[in-house]
């Protein structure tokens, strides 16, 4: 069963903005709507996790988003029993507004 875990709108700041910081156990997928992106805009979606509770969350995956790809982007499902962090950093163009949601795949 898949349920909505969290959602929101992020106005890019040009820095790495945290979309979701998840400490629940489960499998999670993020969806990002890039309707507001224009030609020349680019952003990086990063996924970070902890292996064990005493660890620091480290990068496990990232993807570059631009106007050439589909409007809604869906990540791979990520398992987590410690911490899972999704961030977005706009790296080129005008800072845009992005709507997003995280779905919990095994709720």
């Amino acid at each position: 069963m898949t349920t909505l875990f969290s959602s929101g709108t992020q106005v890019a700041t040009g820095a790495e903005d945290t979309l979701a910081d998840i400490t629940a156990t489960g499998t999670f997928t993020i969806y990002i709507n890039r309707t507001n992106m224009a030609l020349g805009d680019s952003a990086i979606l990063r996924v970070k996790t902890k292996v064990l509770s005493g660890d620091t969350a480290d990068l496990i995956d990232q993807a570059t988003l631009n106007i050439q790809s589909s409007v809604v982007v869906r990540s791979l499902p990520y398992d987590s029993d410690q911490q899972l962090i999704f961030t977005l950093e706009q790296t080129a163009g005008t800072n845009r507004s992005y709507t997003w949601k995280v779905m919990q795949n095994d709720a």
Side-chain angles (χ1 to χ4, degrees):
M1 182 172 165
T2 302
T3 59
L4 179 66
F5 185 82
S6 63
S7 63
T9 300
Q10 177 67 50
V11 177
T13 63
E16 186 174 12
D17 300 306
T18 299
L19 303 179
D21 187 343
I22 302 164
T23 56
T25 297
T27 302
F28 301 91
T29 303
I30 191 166
Y31 295 75
I32 299 176
N33 187 325
R34 295 167 305 121
T35 299
N36 295 329
M37 289 185 93
L39 190 62
D41 290 347
S42 182
I44 299 173
L45 170 66
R46 293 185 180 98
V47 184
K48 302 174 184 182
T49 194
K50 289 182 179 182
V51 175
L52 297 175
S53 63
D55 292 347
T56 300
D58 288 315
L59 184 69
I60 59 168
D61 203 358
Q62 72 177 26
T64 299
L65 312 178
N66 55 51
I67 198 165
Q68 283 78 27
S69 35
S70 62
V71 174
V72 175
V73 172
R74 181 184 77 173
S75 74
L76 297 170
Y78 296 96
D79 299 326
S80 179
D81 65 345
Q82 300 296 325
Q83 184 178 26
L84 188 63
I85 303 170
F86 293 105
T87 68
L88 186 69
E89 178 181 3
Q90 184 149 351
T91 55
T94 302
N95 288 339
R96 306 290 179 180
S97 178
Y98 299 87
T99 57
W100 59 271
K101 69 179 178 182
V102 174
M103 300 298 290
Q104 186 169 5
N105 303 323
D106 51 3

